Amino acid sequence: MPASESYNIIPVGVVTGTQQNLRLEIRPEYRPALKGLDAFSHCQILWWIHEFAEDCFRGTTQIEPPYNAPVSGVFATRSPVRPNPIGLTVARIISVDLDQGIVEVSGLDAYPGTPVLDIKAYFPSTDRVRQARVPAWAASWGEWTIE
């Protein structure tokens, strides 16, 4: 696959609100895609890490992560500096307003103004791992972060 191959990604919405009260504002043409999302307690949100989208960040392959972690390959981290600045968060759904295209969420680690690329319903049968392994430096983080 050539390194210069590109793909067209169209944001379906944007993150709005404050860090304490974040919402996804979905563009009018994608609002019908929200139908049925309100029946789920959680969703996966894919978002564009626009603060680190410049070419100078995309060549980074190793970083010194926080939390007393050793230098690691970027694919072994959740760093925003990566070849394709795509963020992924599992968030709790607080409410869904189909008419206004607003999904109120908690647990999203994006900022207001962040482009939303996609939303996927969270299915425990396929989206969680019973016996996950992490390196020693992350072992004290606990098993669950979102209720």
Coordinates of all heavy atoms in Angstrom, one line a residue, residues 9-16 23-31 33-34 45-50 100-103 108 110-119:
I9 N -12.5 11.6 4.9 CA -13.2 11.4 6.1 C -14.1 12.6 6.3 O -13.6 13.8 6.2 CB -12.3 11.2 7.3 CG1 -11.6 9.9 7.2 CG2 -13.1 11.2 8.6 CD1 -10.6 9.7 8.3
I10 N -15.4 12.4 6.5 CA -16.4 13.5 6.7 C -16.9 13.5 8.1 O -17.5 12.5 8.5 CB -17.5 13.4 5.7 CG1 -17.0 13.3 4.3 CG2 -18.6 14.5 5.9 CD1 -18.0 12.9 3.2
P11 N -16.6 14.5 8.9 CA -17.2 14.6 10.2 C -18.7 14.5 10.2 O -19.4 15.1 9.4 CB -16.7 15.9 10.8 CG -15.6 16.3 9.9 CD -15.8 15.7 8.6
V12 N -19.3 13.7 11.1 CA -20.7 13.7 11.2 C -21.3 14.7 12.2 O -22.5 14.9 12.3 CB -21.2 12.2 11.6 CG1 -20.8 11.2 10.6 CG2 -20.7 11.8 13.0
G13 N -20.4 15.3 13.0 CA -20.8 16.3 14.0 C -19.6 16.9 14.7 O -18.4 16.7 14.2
V14 N -19.8 17.5 15.8 CA -18.8 18.2 16.6 C -19.1 18.1 18.0 O -20.3 18.0 18.4 CB -18.7 19.7 16.1 CG1 -19.9 20.5 16.5 CG2 -17.4 20.3 16.7
V15 N -18.1 18.1 18.9 CA -18.3 18.1 20.3 C -18.5 19.5 20.7 O -17.8 20.4 20.3 CB -17.0 17.6 21.0 CG1 -17.1 17.7 22.5 CG2 -16.7 16.1 20.6
T16 N -19.5 19.7 21.6 CA -19.9 21.0 22.1 C -20.1 20.9 23.6 O -20.0 19.9 24.2 CB -21.2 21.6 21.5 OG1 -22.3 20.8 21.8 CG2 -21.0 21.7 20.0
R23 N -21.5 17.4 24.8 CA -22.6 16.9 23.9 C -22.0 16.7 22.5 O -21.0 17.3 22.1 CB -23.7 17.9 23.8 CG -24.4 18.2 25.0 CD -25.5 19.2 24.9 NE -25.2 20.4 24.1 CZ -24.8 21.6 24.6 NH1 -24.7 21.7 25.9 NH2 -24.5 22.6 23.8
L24 N -22.6 15.8 21.7 CA -22.2 15.7 20.3 C -23.3 16.3 19.6 O -24.5 16.0 19.7 CB -22.2 14.2 20.0 CG -21.3 13.3 20.9 CD1 -21.4 11.8 20.4 CD2 -19.9 13.7 21.0
E25 N -23.0 17.3 18.7 CA -24.0 17.9 17.9 C -23.8 17.3 16.5 O -22.8 17.5 15.8 CB -23.8 19.4 17.8 CG -24.3 20.1 19.0 CD -24.3 21.6 18.9 OE1 -24.3 22.1 17.7 OE2 -24.3 22.3 19.9
I26 N -24.8 16.6 16.1 CA -24.7 15.8 14.8 C -25.3 16.7 13.7 O -26.4 17.3 13.8 CB -25.5 14.5 14.9 CG1 -25.0 13.7 16.1 CG2 -25.5 13.7 13.7 CD1 -23.5 13.4 16.1
R27 N -24.6 16.7 12.6 CA -25.1 17.4 11.4 C -26.4 16.9 10.9 O -26.8 15.8 11.0 CB -24.0 17.3 10.3 CG -22.7 18.0 10.7 CD -21.6 17.7 9.7 NE -21.9 17.9 8.3 CZ -21.1 17.7 7.3 NH1 -19.8 17.4 7.6 NH2 -21.4 17.9 6.1
P28 N -27.3 17.9 10.4 CA -28.7 17.5 10.0 C -28.8 16.3 9.1 O -29.7 15.4 9.3 CB -29.2 18.8 9.3 CG -28.4 19.9 10.0 CD -27.0 19.3 10.2
E29 N -27.9 16.1 8.2 CA -28.0 15.0 7.2 C -27.7 13.7 7.9 O -28.0 12.6 7.3 CB -27.1 15.2 6.0 CG -25.6 15.3 6.3 CD -25.1 16.7 6.5 OE1 -25.8 17.6 7.1 OE2 -23.9 17.0 6.2
Y30 N -27.1 13.7 9.1 CA -26.8 12.4 9.8 C -27.7 12.1 11.0 O -27.5 11.1 11.6 CB -25.3 12.4 10.2 CG -24.4 12.5 9.0 CD1 -23.6 13.6 8.8 CD2 -24.3 11.4 8.1 CE1 -22.7 13.6 7.7 CE2 -23.4 11.5 7.0 CZ -22.7 12.6 6.8 OH -21.8 12.6 5.7
R31 N -28.6 13.0 11.3 CA -29.5 12.9 12.4 C -30.3 11.6 12.4 O -30.5 11.0 13.4 CB -30.3 14.1 12.7 CG -29.4 15.3 13.1 CD -30.2 16.5 13.3 NE -29.3 17.6 13.7 CZ -29.6 18.9 13.7 NH1 -30.8 19.3 13.4 NH2 -28.6 19.8 14.0
A33 N -29.4 8.8 11.6 CA -28.5 7.7 12.0 C -28.6 7.5 13.5 O -28.1 6.5 14.0 CB -27.1 8.0 11.5
L34 N -29.1 8.5 14.2 CA -29.2 8.4 15.7 C -30.4 7.5 16.2 O -30.5 7.1 17.3 CB -29.4 9.8 16.3 CG -28.2 10.7 16.2 CD1 -28.6 12.1 16.7 CD2 -27.0 10.2 16.9
I45 N -17.2 6.5 20.5 CA -17.1 7.7 19.7 C -15.7 7.8 19.1 O -14.7 7.7 19.8 CB -17.4 9.0 20.6 CG1 -18.7 8.9 21.3 CG2 -17.3 10.2 19.7 CD1 -18.9 9.8 22.4
L46 N -15.7 7.9 17.8 CA -14.5 8.1 17.1 C -14.4 9.6 16.7 O -15.3 10.1 16.2 CB -14.4 7.2 15.8 CG -14.3 5.8 16.1 CD1 -15.4 5.0 15.5 CD2 -13.0 5.3 15.6
W47 N -13.3 10.2 17.0 CA -13.1 11.6 16.8 C -11.7 12.0 16.3 O -10.8 11.2 16.5 CB -13.5 12.4 18.1 CG -12.9 11.8 19.4 CD1 -13.3 10.7 20.1 CD2 -11.7 12.3 20.1 NE1 -12.5 10.5 21.2 CE2 -11.5 11.4 21.2 CE3 -10.8 13.3 19.9 CZ2 -10.5 11.6 22.1 CZ3 -9.8 13.5 20.8 CH2 -9.6 12.7 21.9
W48 N -11.7 13.1 15.6 CA -10.4 13.6 15.0 C -9.7 14.4 16.0 O -10.2 15.4 16.6 CB -10.8 14.4 13.8 CG -9.6 14.7 12.9 CD1 -8.9 15.9 12.8 CD2 -8.9 13.8 12.1 NE1 -7.9 15.7 11.9 CE2 -7.8 14.4 11.5 CE3 -9.1 12.4 11.8 CZ2 -7.0 13.8 10.5 CZ3 -8.2 11.8 10.9 CH2 -7.2 12.5 10.3
I49 N -8.5 14.0 16.3 CA -7.6 14.8 17.3 C -7.0 16.0 16.6 O -5.9 16.0 16.2 CB -6.6 13.9 17.9 CG1 -7.2 12.6 18.5 CG2 -5.8 14.6 19.0 CD1 -6.2 11.5 18.9
H50 N -7.9 17.0 16.3 CA -7.5 18.1 15.4 C -6.4 18.9 16.0 O -5.7 19.6 15.2 CB -8.7 18.9 15.1 CG -9.4 19.6 16.3 ND1 -10.0 18.9 17.3 CD2 -9.4 20.9 16.7 CE1 -10.5 19.7 18.2 NE2 -10.1 20.9 17.8
Q100 N -33.0 17.5 17.4 CA -32.0 18.5 17.4 C -30.6 17.9 17.1 O -29.6 18.7 16.9 CB -31.9 19.2 18.8 CG -33.1 19.9 19.2 CD -33.4 21.1 18.3 OE1 -32.4 21.9 18.0 NE2 -34.6 21.2 17.7
G101 N -30.5 16.6 17.0 CA -29.2 16.0 16.7 C -28.2 16.1 17.9 O -27.0 16.2 17.6
I102 N -28.7 16.1 19.1 CA -27.8 16.2 20.3 C -27.7 14.9 21.0 O -28.8 14.3 21.4 CB -28.4 17.3 21.2 CG1 -28.5 18.7 20.5 CG2 -27.5 17.5 22.5 CD1 -27.2 19.3 20.0
V103 N -26.5 14.5 21.3 CA -26.3 13.3 22.1 C -25.5 13.8 23.3 O -24.3 14.2 23.2 CB -25.5 12.2 21.4 CG1 -25.3 11.0 22.3 CG2 -26.2 11.8 20.1
L108 N -16.3 11.4 27.9 CA -15.6 11.6 26.6 C -14.4 12.5 26.9 O -14.5 13.5 27.6 CB -16.6 12.4 25.7 CG -16.0 12.8 24.3 CD1 -15.5 11.6 23.5 CD2 -17.1 13.6 23.5
A110 N -12.5 14.2 24.8 CA -12.3 15.2 23.7 C -12.7 16.6 24.2 O -13.3 16.7 25.3 CB -13.1 14.8 22.5
Y111 N -12.4 17.6 23.5 CA -12.7 19.0 23.8 C -13.8 19.5 23.0 O -14.0 19.1 21.8 CB -11.4 19.8 23.7 CG -10.3 19.4 24.6 CD1 -9.2 18.7 24.0 CD2 -10.3 19.7 25.9 CE1 -8.2 18.3 24.9 CE2 -9.3 19.3 26.7 CZ -8.2 18.6 26.2 OH -7.2 18.2 27.0
P112 N -14.5 20.6 23.4 CA -15.4 21.3 22.6 C -14.7 21.7 21.3 O -13.6 22.2 21.3 CB -15.9 22.4 23.4 CG -15.7 21.9 24.8 CD -14.5 21.1 24.8
G113 N -15.4 21.6 20.2 CA -14.8 21.9 18.9 C -14.2 20.7 18.2 O -13.8 20.8 17.0
T114 N -14.1 19.6 18.8 CA -13.5 18.4 18.2 C -14.5 17.8 17.2 O -15.6 17.5 17.5 CB -13.2 17.3 19.3 OG1 -12.3 17.9 20.3 CG2 -12.7 16.0 18.8
P115 N -14.0 17.5 16.0 CA -14.8 16.8 15.0 C -15.1 15.4 15.4 O -14.3 14.6 15.8 CB -14.0 16.9 13.7 CG -12.9 17.9 14.0 CD -12.7 17.9 15.5
V116 N -16.4 15.0 15.3 CA -16.9 13.6 15.5 C -16.9 12.9 14.2 O -17.5 13.3 13.3 CB -18.3 13.6 16.2 CG1 -18.8 12.2 16.4 CG2 -18.2 14.4 17.5
L117 N -16.2 11.8 14.1 CA -16.1 11.0 12.9 C -17.2 9.9 12.8 O -17.7 9.7 11.7 CB -14.7 10.3 12.8 CG -13.5 11.3 12.8 CD1 -12.3 10.4 12.7 CD2 -13.6 12.3 11.8
D118 N -17.5 9.3 13.9 CA -18.5 8.2 13.9 C -18.9 7.9 15.3 O -18.2 8.3 16.3 CB -17.9 7.0 13.3 CG -18.9 6.0 12.7 OD1 -20.1 6.2 12.9 OD2 -18.5 5.0 12.2
I119 N -20.1 7.3 15.5 CA -20.6 6.8 16.7 C -21.0 5.4 16.5 O -21.7 5.1 15.5 CB -21.8 7.7 17.2 CG1 -21.5 9.1 17.3 CG2 -22.4 7.1 18.5 CD1 -22.7 10.0 17.5

